[in-house]
Amino acid sequence: MKKVITYGTYDLLHRGHINLLKRAKTIGDYLVVGLSSDEFNAVKHKKSFYSYEERKLVLEAVRYVDEVIPEHTWEQKARDIVDHDIDVFVMGDDWSGKFDHLKELCEVVYLPRTDGVSTTQIKASLRVSEDSNIEFSE
Ligand code: C2G
């Protein structure tokens, strides 16, 4: 069984996340997602809308995801790759080159990001609509 791992915050799940997870899963047979804890998000200077438990619940419902583990630190990836017997490490190419040191342990693949969507943009759009009292159609 070819095992793949990827990491992220996966807040306000959107098509960019799904595209990444879908492509990561097609690379192997089993996809592990290292989901950033709320505390690690603070280290990444990110504040997610949903808590770790809520983001985990949503992610586990995605057909491409086989297992979700917590991501607490930048450094845990090598240990995760060994402990989970991972064959391929995958990230979006906004991280291109950042994890090449893991090539000693497994294949490292950077996949093109999906243009035009991000959690940051979604949050900004929601703020604008709230400020201008635009009602979303039911
Ligand atoms: N992504 C994408 N296209 C987008 C947005 C995100 O392909 N439009 C990918 C990112 O490249 C990443 C994954 O979706 O591989 C998750 O993105 P985030 O939740 O933003 O994760 P990030 O903050 O990049 O955390 O240790 C690694 C970090 O935890 C990665």
Side-chain angles (χ1 to χ4, degrees), residues 23-75:
R23 287 173 294 165
K25 180 58 182 283
T26 56
I27 289 172
D29 310 293
Y30 188 92
L31 177 61
V32 181
V33 180
L35 183 63
S36 307
S37 66
D38 297 327
E39 296 74 14
F40 184 53
N41 272 335
V43 170
K44 296 197 292 184
H45 306 296
K46 276 188 155 184
K47 172 99 178 70
S48 61
F49 179 81
Y50 285 121
S51 69
Y52 173 81
E53 287 309 321
E54 288 170 309
R55 289 180 284 120
K56 182 171 185 284
L57 184 77
V58 171
L59 215 40
E60 286 177 335
V62 175
R63 68 171 64 181
Y64 309 115
V65 177
D66 295 289
E67 183 179 358
V68 177
I69 62 173
E71 180 186 30
H72 296 296
T73 67
W74 291 113
E75 297 79 17

Side-chain angles (χ1 to χ4, degrees), residues 6-11 14 16-17 19-20 23 34 36 40-41 44 46 71 73-74 77 90-95 99 111-119:
T6 190
Y7 292 80
T9 298
Y10 287 98
D11 190 29
H14 54 66
H17 296 138
N19 284 343
L20 190 287
R23 287 173 294 165
S36 307
F40 184 53
N41 272 335
K44 296 197 292 184
K46 276 188 155 184
E71 180 186 30
T73 67
W74 291 113
K77 296 182 176 69
V90 173
M91 286 302 292
D93 64 2
D94 46 319
W95 292 95
F99 301 110
L111 297 173
R113 266 177 78 93
T114 301
D115 289 333
V117 63
S118 72
T119 302

